[in-house]
Amino acid sequence: MYFYKYVATRFEDAKAALLPGESEEDFDPHAHRHVPKPTTYSETMMHMLKGCLGAGLLAMPNAFARMGVIYGTLGMILIGVFATYCIQVLVRVQYVLCKRMRRGYMAYNKSMRMAVMGGPDFMRGSAGFFANGVDFFLLVWQIGICAVYFVFVAENVKQVLDYYGYVVSVRRLIVYTYPPLLLLSLIKDLKLLTPFSTISNFSIMLGLYLTFFYLIEDEPVMDDSKFQMKGIEEIPVFIGITLFALEAVGVILALEYNMEKPRDFTGLCGLFSVAMFIIIGIYVTLGIFGYLKYGNACEGSITLNLPQNQKKAQVAKMTFTLALFLSYPLQNFVAWQIVWRKSRKKFNISYRHIADYLIRFVVATLPFGMAVAAPNLEAFMGLLGAFCLTFAAIVFPALMELCVNWPEQYGFCYYKFFKDLFIIIFGVFACCSGVYTSALEIIAQQKK
């Protein structure tokens, strides 16, 4: 629940007072954070693992089916290391900005605004644009996750119903799940959603256990085709799916903020690096075993490949379905919070209550419309990862560092400048190619 407490919290804009004996130069933002109940190293690690093990994990076999065992493994490791580095850059830049502004903490969008305002003169006028860009991509990301949850729930329920003779289309099941999810999204008190999170976490653990049972029960089939890439055009979708699975920018920043000793979060052997090493290991393991088991028939979620006529497989599908169904209102709450934070002052006090529910209704309905329009799980995850996370987790952190180092802190031969420029160009290219390729897959799926 730390993530949801984080997004619901308003941080003070006022500068923090210096501690006794502390000068302007050695101001430590970590010492000025006011977290009522900070998390320990082990607690933060558990939250980190929980936050990154979700629907994206179940898409790993499909991602490996596009790249093959060797290229999939290398690609997963390279993208994981690259994404980890970019988030490390974001956290370090936020620390530098907090130190300059003498504040204990600044949210992502405010950090972006401050960074651009301190950058090159020609960019300073666009500080508000980039700050709003952060909110835009985080909002689209959250709404996209909710849409993925709609599709995931519908596809898994359809397989179970088909086995028992109840043939229903995926789109119709998405329509059936909309009313209860809309009602859950109208809940204002996060404490009421806490039991749902507990059940969801237990369901994910049980589902993973049952899924791995099927993946390792037989000797894997090895042939040359499973070590080859399908085609160059699969790379952008692979990158998008991998980013979707790996990155949870809001969760990561929330955990760093709530940590008892934030200095232990970053660094080569910091908590974030260690957690990402574990997460990448789990992803690679599931991706390889799932691909060796089902080959090119891997679906957008490995649960869709499990036998339809076996009780254990049906339980696995329904446990993951229950987990994501119960996680939907929490993810939707984050999207609502972003919109409400930026719009509530525009409404008259007497109408804010009505406006609040209206925004909740709209934010809960948008993912439903997206899911009905394009119920293609793997292409949707690739599109979402390519469009949102390339900017939120790659381009923006590099841009912030480029501005913060302006004009004379780029190191020997301006290596930091060229490094950040390369990251930005790579992120924009990955976004354009990933969105294009994923959109083609969605269009092709619609024509079937």
Side-chain angles (χ1 to χ4, degrees):
M1 291 299 294
Y2 289 98
F3 175 36
Y4 307 103
K5 290 179 182 178
Y6 162 82
V7 296
T9 302
R10 295 182 63 188
F11 300 105
E12 295 295 331
D13 291 337
K15 291 185 177 181
L18 295 174
L19 296 175
E22 185 180 48
S23 66
E24 291 276 357
E25 290 73 22
D26 49 41
F27 175 84
D28 182 11
H30 294 159
H32 293 273
R33 289 186 182 180
H34 304 290
V35 182
K37 296 180 180 180
T39 55
T40 64
Y41 187 99
S42 59
E43 290 172 338
T44 307
M45 178 66 75
M46 292 304 298
H47 286 300
M48 179 75 191
L49 296 176
K50 180 184 71 174
C52 293
L53 298 177
L57 168 65
L58 303 176
M60 284 300 101
N62 178 272
F64 272 68
R66 299 171 182 273
M67 299 291 290
V69 173
I70 295 177
Y71 293 111
T73 302
L74 291 176
M76 174 64 69
I77 294 173
L78 289 175
I79 295 172
V81 171
F82 183 72
T84 301
Y85 174 76
C86 290
I87 294 298
Q88 298 261 20
V89 168
L90 175 59
V91 174
R92 288 201 305 268
V93 169
Q94 284 191 309
Y95 178 81
V96 172
L97 288 170
C98 288
K99 195 176 181 68
R100 287 183 184 178
M101 304 301 296
R102 289 181 49 238
R103 292 177 182 173
Y105 189 83
M106 286 192 294
Y108 191 180
N109 62 337
K110 186 167 293 185
S111 299
M112 172 61 80
R113 183 188 298 274
M114 294 296 106
V116 175
M117 288 180 65
D121 292 340
F122 71 90
M123 290 185 61
R124 293 178 183 179
S126 60
F129 171 80
F130 284 106
N132 290 328
V134 169
D135 282 337
F136 170 77
F137 284 108
L138 291 179
L139 176 62
V140 174
W141 164 244
Q142 290 300 146
I143 289 178
I145 287 178
C146 293
V148 168
Y149 283 11
F150 265 115
V151 179
F152 182 93
V153 169
E155 287 192 343
N156 282 274
V157 171
K158 174 178 169 54
Q159 281 204 346
V160 176
L161 292 179
D162 285 350
Y163 173 72
Y164 290 102
Y166 299 98
V167 181
V168 186
S169 68
V170 172
R171 281 191 170 91
R172 181 171 294 184
L173 285 172
I174 291 174
V175 173
Y176 291 160
T177 57
Y178 171 66
L181 288 178
L182 174 62
L183 292 176
L184 288 174
S185 299
L186 297 178
I187 297 176
K188 289 187 175 184
D189 190 352
L190 289 178
K191 291 183 180 180
L192 297 177
L193 298 177
T194 303
F196 297 155
S197 290
T198 304
I199 298 172
S200 176
N201 293 335
F202 175 77
S203 298
I204 288 176
M205 290 188 290
L206 177 59
L208 279 176
Y209 171 79
L210 294 173
T211 300
F212 269 104
F213 171 84
Y214 282 100
L215 298 185
I216 64 176
E217 65 176 344
D218 298 321
E219 192 73 21
V221 178
M222 310 289 288
D223 56 65
D224 292 341
S225 65
K226 291 186 177 179
F227 293 89
Q228 298 173 358
M229 187 190 308
K230 278 186 178 180
I232 299 296
E233 68 278 3
E234 300 291 348
I235 295 178
V237 183
F238 174 82
I239 293 175
I241 293 175
T242 303
L243 286 175
F244 178 92
L246 283 174
E247 292 290 18
V249 182
V251 175
I252 293 168
L253 294 179
L255 293 178
E256 189 272 340
Y257 169 76
N258 281 279
M259 197 169 176
E260 188 176 44
K261 298 179 180 178
R263 291 187 183 279
D264 294 340
F265 191 83
T266 55
L268 183 61
C269 297
L271 180 143
F272 181 54
S273 297
V274 174
M276 289 300 289
F277 177 80
I278 297 172
I279 290 167
I280 292 171
I282 295 173
Y283 281 21
V284 170
T285 302
L286 182 60
I288 291 176
F289 278 94
Y291 178 44
L292 292 179
K293 174 76 174 182
Y294 298 109
N296 292 328
C298 289
E299 298 284 353
S301 170
I302 191 62
T303 56
L304 300 177
N305 289 108
L306 301 181
Q308 289 183 263
N309 59 347
Q310 295 187 18
K311 298 296 183 182
K312 288 194 296 294
Q314 292 177 4
V315 172
K317 293 174 185 181
M318 295 312 295
T319 52
F320 279 118
T321 299
L322 177 64
L324 267 66
F325 184 90
L326 296 180
S327 298
Y328 180 91
L330 295 174
Q331 296 289 352
N332 197 258
F333 175 88
V334 180
W336 165 83
Q337 183 68 27
I338 295 172
V339 177
W340 183 243
R341 174 168 48 84
K342 298 182 73 68
S343 63
R344 61 182 174 184
K345 292 183 179 179
K346 297 179 181 180
F347 298 104
N348 187 288
I349 295 179
S350 57
Y351 295 106
R352 283 185 185 176
H353 185 70
I354 299 175
D356 180 8
Y357 279 105
L358 181 62
I359 290 175
R360 288 176 183 271
F361 172 80
V362 172
V363 171
T365 304
L366 281 175
F368 163 72
M370 294 166 64
V372 171
N376 185 337
L377 199 59
E378 65 270 21
F380 208 103
M381 285 191 282
L383 178 65
L384 189 61
F387 180 64
C388 297
L389 293 179
T390 50
F391 276 94
I394 295 177
V395 174
F396 285 166
L399 179 63
M400 288 173 63
E401 186 180 51
L402 190 149
C403 291
V404 166
N405 288 332
W406 175 268
E408 299 177 348
Q409 299 180 45
Y410 291 120
F412 179 72
C413 293
Y414 287 80
Y415 80 93
K416 292 183 180 179
F417 174 85
F418 291 110
K419 176 206 67 174
D420 290 332
L421 188 62
F422 168 78
I423 293 175
I424 292 171
I425 293 173
F426 172 80
V428 173
F429 172 77
C431 174
C432 294
S433 58
V435 168
Y436 175 75
T437 310
S438 299
L440 288 180
E441 282 200 11
I442 292 174
I443 293 172
Q445 183 72 20
Q446 298 301 307
K447 293 180 178 179
K448 292 182 179 180

